[in-house]
């Protein structure tokens, strides 16, 4: 590959798995955008993100895992891909992004038992495991559920953007640490057998 570089140009090369590479380049983009004054704090840029992958391959577990959650409806044209090529299957999931921050996310949910069974099979969740973990859902799908979906917005993320804060922790009264621990209540904490 030849690049038409000039003095003071910068080329960054990241070599890793696709997801890791994208995450690293995203962090670099945000860092340099702030460092070079390319971010405009008085503008709001909204974006809908659609056509998420339904699955991603987990190299450690050697199986497909759900990108969003295992109850997201696949794209109608991709239902046959669940059993033949799960990696090409797109989900009916969507996010709203404001100035590069995800402020809301949701999906259309699976409302048919046959499709839910195909998704579980693609995730290598057998009928017995599906029944043990999600029997209540599978039973209810037998009675017929309407197509449904939703979206949830993170007010704390919106406030972070409005306040110009660098981190969501700056606008939450009692934020968790990066290890999901609460310094106020010392959660998670051991629970005695009686409470369980």
């Amino acid at each position: 590959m030849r690049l038409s570089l000039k003095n003071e140009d910068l080329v960054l090369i990241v070599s890793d798995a696709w997801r890791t590479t994208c995450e690293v380049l995203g962090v670099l983009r945000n860092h340099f955008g702030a460092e070079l004054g390319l971010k405009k704090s008085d503008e709001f840029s909204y974006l809908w993100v659609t056509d998420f992958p339904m699955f991603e391959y987990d190299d450690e577990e050697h199986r497909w895992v759900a990108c969003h959650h295992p109850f997201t409806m696949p794209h109608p044209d991709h239902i046959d891909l669940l059993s033949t090529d799960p990696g090409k299957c797109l989900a009916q999931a969507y996010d709203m992004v404001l100035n590069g921050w995800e402020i809301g996310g949701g999906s259309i949910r699976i409302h048919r038992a046959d499709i839910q069974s195909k998704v579980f099979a693609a995730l290598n969740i057998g009928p017995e495991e599906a029944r043990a973990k999600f029997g209540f859902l599978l039973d209810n799908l037998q009675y017929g559920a309407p197509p449904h979906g939703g979206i949830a917005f993170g007010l704390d993320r919106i406030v972070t953007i409005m306040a110009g804060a660098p981190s969501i922790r700056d606008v939450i009264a009692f934020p968790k640490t990066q290890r999901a621990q609460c310094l106020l209540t010392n959660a998670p904490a051991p629970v005695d057998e009686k409470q369980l």
Side-chain angles (χ1 to χ4, degrees):
M1 174 196 283
R2 291 178 179 248
L3 303 173
S4 301
L5 300 175
K6 301 180 291 293
N7 285 342
E8 298 184 16
D9 283 352
L10 172 67
V11 175
L12 301 172
I13 298 173
V14 177
S15 177
D16 205 311
W18 174 256
R19 183 178 183 128
T20 303
T21 300
C22 291
E23 289 173 0
V24 168
L25 289 172
V27 169
L28 288 170
R29 176 182 57 85
N30 287 334
H31 170 76
F32 285 116
E35 191 76 20
L36 299 172
L38 300 175
K39 291 184 175 182
K40 297 179 178 156
S41 61
D42 60 339
E43 293 182 7
F44 293 104
S45 297
Y46 294 91
L47 170 73
W48 278 107
V49 180
T50 60
D51 295 331
F52 282 95
M54 185 84 176
F55 309 104
E56 60 187 343
Y57 195 76
D58 186 319
D59 290 320
E60 290 181 16
E61 294 189 28
H62 304 290
R63 68 179 190 91
W64 294 103
V65 295
C67 286
H68 198 67
H69 57 69
F71 312 108
T72 302
M73 179 67 98
H75 188 281
D77 295 337
H78 296 179
I79 292 173
D80 290 338
L81 294 174
L82 292 170
S83 55
T84 60
D85 194 355
K88 290 186 179 175
C89 189
L90 296 180
Q92 292 188 59
Y94 36 82
D95 281 352
M96 177 172 264
V97 177
L98 171 59
N99 294 0
W101 289 60
E102 176 195 336
I103 60 169
S107 67
I108 302 300
R109 299 295 174 95
I110 296 173
H111 61 279
R112 290 178 30 198
D114 61 324
I115 294 175
Q116 187 65 70
S117 294
K118 288 181 181 183
V119 169
F120 284 156
L123 294 169
N124 202 23
I125 297 173
E128 297 81 23
E129 182 182 358
R131 171 74 33 209
K133 290 182 176 178
F134 311 110
F136 65 93
L137 174 67
L138 298 174
D139 290 343
N140 287 318
L141 288 179
Q142 296 298 324
Y143 296 108
H148 59 288
I151 187 166
F153 286 95
L155 184 59
D156 45 9
R157 294 175 184 207
I158 296 169
V159 171
T160 303
I161 295 166
M162 292 171 64
S167 170
I168 197 170
R169 287 182 189 77
D170 295 335
V171 301
I172 298 175
F174 303 107
K176 307 284 187 275
T177 67
Q178 289 181 333
R179 292 183 174 175
Q181 295 172 314
C182 177
L183 300 178
L184 177 71
T185 63
N186 292 321
V191 179
D192 65 41
E193 204 59 39
K194 185 176 180 182
Q195 283 179 299
L196 289 174

